[in-house]
Amino acid sequence: MYLADLSLWEAARKQYIFKLKAYMDSYTALVGIQLLGILFSFGGVGSMGMGSDGIDLTVRIFSSDIILAFTIIWAFTTAITLTTRPYRNQELTFVGNRLSGSLANILFLLTVSSAAGILSILSGGLLNVLAALVYDTPVYNLMSGSAELFGGMLVAVFYIALASALGYLVGSIVQVHKIFIVILLGLFLGLLIQEPFNNGNSYLLDLIAFFGKEEMLPLFMMKVVAAAAVLFSAATAILNRMEARR
Amino acid sequence: MIVLLIGLIIAGVYLLAKKGVIRFKKMSYWVLGIYAALVLISSVAVPLFLDKKPLVKAENEGLMEYEKLYDTLSRAGIGEIDNQYILNRFRFEQFDEAVLTLAANGPYVWTSIFVERKTAADGLIEGFIVGQPLTFNGYVFPEAIKPVELKLEGSTLAIETVNQELNISAARSSFPVRQFTGETNMDDLYVTDQMIYLKVPAGVKVETEDESIYFNYTEE
């Protein structure tokens, strides 16, 4: 069968279904990383103590923040893995081109990001149940209602998808030349430590605040969709050009 | 219970797989399936495990409130204090001594003591423990801190204090929820010192030999 016989979307769809089945190991890694997040959260994500006259007070707070952070790192690294040569070579067994391969990768990343986002918010429930069973003190409920929980899942999915888009671009750039590992790492470390040398301004914190401090959900979603579209497009363009060159 | 639940899920899935009802090609399916089932069940069951008492939102919080309480007590007296700030009340009737001696009993706890001299010699000593209950992230935990106790033995009023070790655990929404619900990302814990307000009958002199006790008469 030739590519001409198959539309781009049909080729992407077939590769996407293949990837969903073939990359099952990434799901195992997701479970592992979330369990690790639960373990790290078990002592409380925001423990605070206070001692005054006659009162020695310790407050332990449980939430799925660390689990989400770990899941974001998982999404970032999973996306990088997809751009590596062994994974790209698997696509050669399919009728299609690099564009259909990239589309399949993006669809795969969006799918697993959705599952990861939902699981990361729900895993907070498992953490709270375990905390209530293990600790002697009652665990007070400061959580919002179920409507907010579903909203939280949606937002978590968007954050994880954004991380995967960034990982996909980073992976693509690194595939061009290994020197970019050093350059990107240097850039990241530079952004981390630039604050004292830049009159207290940090581009990294500004970037995080651009998404993290947005309080209007539709605007937040638009920002993430736009950013992810740019990152995925850039990554796809890089991978296409690279394959044409080689 | 949670271990039993996990065991039941694993056993159930294993039996179904053995009978061929469900088939797993890879270990990954098992891991993901069990984990997803576990988090789903936990999410549904979590209200059963958390404390069921409804929490009350704090109306006022912050250090200014303590200062306001102190100021109100010293200037206007206990009558101007809202009931929510009165942590405990005591009444000692038929006091016919000329001197009331204050004594500390227990570990040192800083407490401001206000003494109001009544105009009537009614033999009644009233004691009020005033302060803010513990507030955390805007919620009140009224029973978390044990208020100071007062005990009258003869002409001695003992101020009984205890060392308290408190552990509070709370489950809160994750960041993606808090971002759009306006819930704080900074945890805010507030607990104030307790104050004692005494109303003594006319003609009763208040004194103390305890160096750790300081008291003031309210403005008359």
Side-chain angles (χ1 to χ4, degrees):
Chain A
M1 188 183 281
Y2 297 96
L3 179 60
D5 300 333
L6 208 62
S7 74
L8 177 69
W9 287 109
E10 186 59 23
R13 192 184 68 83
K14 283 186 185 300
Q15 287 189 36
Y16 163 68
I17 290 166
F18 163 76
K19 283 167 199 265
L20 276 181
K21 290 174 184 168
Y23 302 162
M24 276 303 288
D25 289 345
S26 64
Y27 304 152
T28 316
L30 169 67
V31 173
I33 206 95
Q34 291 205 346
L35 286 173
L36 196 68
I38 289 173
L39 193 70
F40 273 77
S41 308
F42 202 62
V45 295
S47 294
M48 57 199 294
M50 180 175 174
S52 71
D53 285 339
I55 298 171
D56 190 6
L57 178 66
T58 307
V59 180
R60 216 181 263 117
I61 301 131
F62 300 102
S63 89
S64 51
D65 289 354
I66 291 178
I67 304 165
L68 178 68
F70 278 26
T71 309
I72 285 172
I73 295 167
W74 165 85
F76 182 78
T77 50
T78 301
I80 291 175
T81 312
L82 289 186
T83 60
T84 56
R85 182 161 286 278
Y87 278 81
R88 281 183 290 135
N89 285 345
Q90 285 182 1
E91 292 167 8
L92 299 175
T93 56
F94 281 87
V95 176
N97 56 23
R98 287 298 175 191
L99 185 59
S100 65
S102 261
L103 280 173
N105 279 340
I106 292 165
L107 285 173
F108 171 76
L109 285 172
L110 293 178
T111 306
V112 291
S113 294
S114 304
I118 292 165
L119 283 176
S120 65
I121 297 295
L122 289 180
S123 62
L126 180 59
L127 172 68
N128 294 335
V129 169
L130 289 173
L133 288 171
V134 170
Y135 291 108
D136 286 340
T137 54
V139 180
Y140 293 101
N141 188 357
L142 303 184
M143 292 186 291
S144 308
S146 51
E148 285 81 3
L149 187 77
F150 286 112
M153 283 181 199
L154 184 70
V155 175
V157 168
F158 272 69
Y159 273 122
I160 294 165
L162 184 63
S164 71
L166 184 65
Y168 199 59
L169 178 63
V170 168
S172 306
I173 293 170
V174 167
Q175 292 309 311
V176 173
H177 199 285
K178 297 294 176 208
I179 190 73
F180 282 111
I181 295 175
V182 181
I183 293 170
L184 289 173
L185 203 63
L187 189 68
F188 177 67
L189 289 174
L191 283 170
L192 271 183
I193 60 167
Q194 58 129 187
E195 199 174 340
F197 311 103
N198 194 22
N199 297 325
N201 296 321
S202 166
Y203 297 127
L204 189 65
L205 290 181
D206 289 345
L207 190 68
I208 293 168
F210 179 70
F211 298 103
K213 287 199 172 171
E214 179 54 63
E215 291 177 350
M216 287 177 67
L217 185 59
L219 204 57
F220 167 81
M221 288 162 75
M222 278 166 61
K223 282 180 180 181
V224 173
V225 168
V230 169
L231 294 169
F232 277 133
S233 304
T236 305
I238 290 167
L239 286 172
N240 270 347
R241 283 176 64 89
M242 195 177 70
E243 293 306 326
R245 197 186 61 191
R246 284 184 184 175
Chain B
M1 188 171 166
I2 198 82
V3 176
L4 186 73
L5 203 65
I6 295 168
L8 280 173
I9 292 168
I10 293 171
V13 174
Y14 177 76
L15 285 172
L16 288 172
K18 207 173 177 185
K19 286 185 176 178
V21 180
I22 50 171
R23 288 168 192 225
F24 294 111
K25 288 178 187 170
K26 277 188 170 185
M27 192 64 186
S28 304
Y29 285 98
W30 276 86
V31 174
L32 185 68
I34 291 168
Y35 180 69
L38 205 59
V39 295
L40 264 172
I41 292 166
S42 302
S43 301
V44 175
V46 74
L48 303 173
F49 290 88
L50 299 182
D51 196 77
K52 288 166 191 71
K53 268 184 253 167
L55 291 174
V56 180
K57 273 268 179 195
E59 287 175 19
N60 300 297
E61 52 187 302
L63 196 61
M64 284 301 290
E65 195 54 38
Y66 173 79
E67 288 173 353
K68 203 172 150 189
L69 279 173
Y70 185 96
D71 197 48
T72 309
L73 276 178
S74 61
R75 284 169 192 270
I78 194 73
E80 293 297 311
I81 299 293
D82 194 289
N83 267 336
Q84 64 175 318
Y85 300 115
I86 299 176
L87 308 177
N88 214 345
R89 293 163 193 266
F90 299 89
R91 279 171 70 89
F92 305 106
E93 292 171 359
Q94 295 174 338
F95 183 80
D96 52 7
E97 307 279 343
V99 175
L100 176 70
T101 306
L102 301 181
N105 189 13
Y108 173 76
V109 174
W110 170 252
T111 44
S112 300
I113 301 170
F114 300 93
V115 180
E116 178 190 323
R117 282 180 285 213
K118 291 193 278 189
T119 50
D122 56 2
L124 175 68
I125 295 174
E126 291 174 87
F128 303 87
I129 312 302
V130 179
Q132 263 216 357
L134 185 142
T135 61
F136 176 66
N137 284 6
Y139 289 98
V140 185
F141 293 80
E143 289 154 21
I145 291 175
K146 202 175 166 192
V148 172
E149 296 268 339
L150 299 178
K151 273 189 184 165
L152 184 67
E153 285 172 6
S155 65
T156 302
L157 184 72
I159 299 162
E160 308 227 320
T161 54
V162 284
N163 271 331
Q164 299 180 66
E165 200 175 314
L166 301 170
N167 288 300
I168 290 181
S169 299
R172 73 167 180 205
S173 307
S174 58
F175 175 73
V177 178
R178 296 200 303 276
Q179 186 177 349
F180 298 99
T181 54
E183 289 170 68
T184 177
N185 287 317
M186 298 296 290
D187 292 308
D188 176 32
L189 177 66
Y190 186 59
V191 55
T192 64
D193 291 331
Q194 296 177 32
M195 292 172 269
I196 299 171
Y197 192 92
L198 296 174
K199 286 168 96 171
V200 298
V204 173
K205 191 184 171 195
V206 178
E207 60 178 37
T208 182
E209 289 172 1
D210 198 319
E211 289 179 353
S212 67
I213 292 180
Y214 301 93
F215 66 88
N216 295 302
Y217 286 103
T218 55
E219 293 167 20
E220 291 171 13

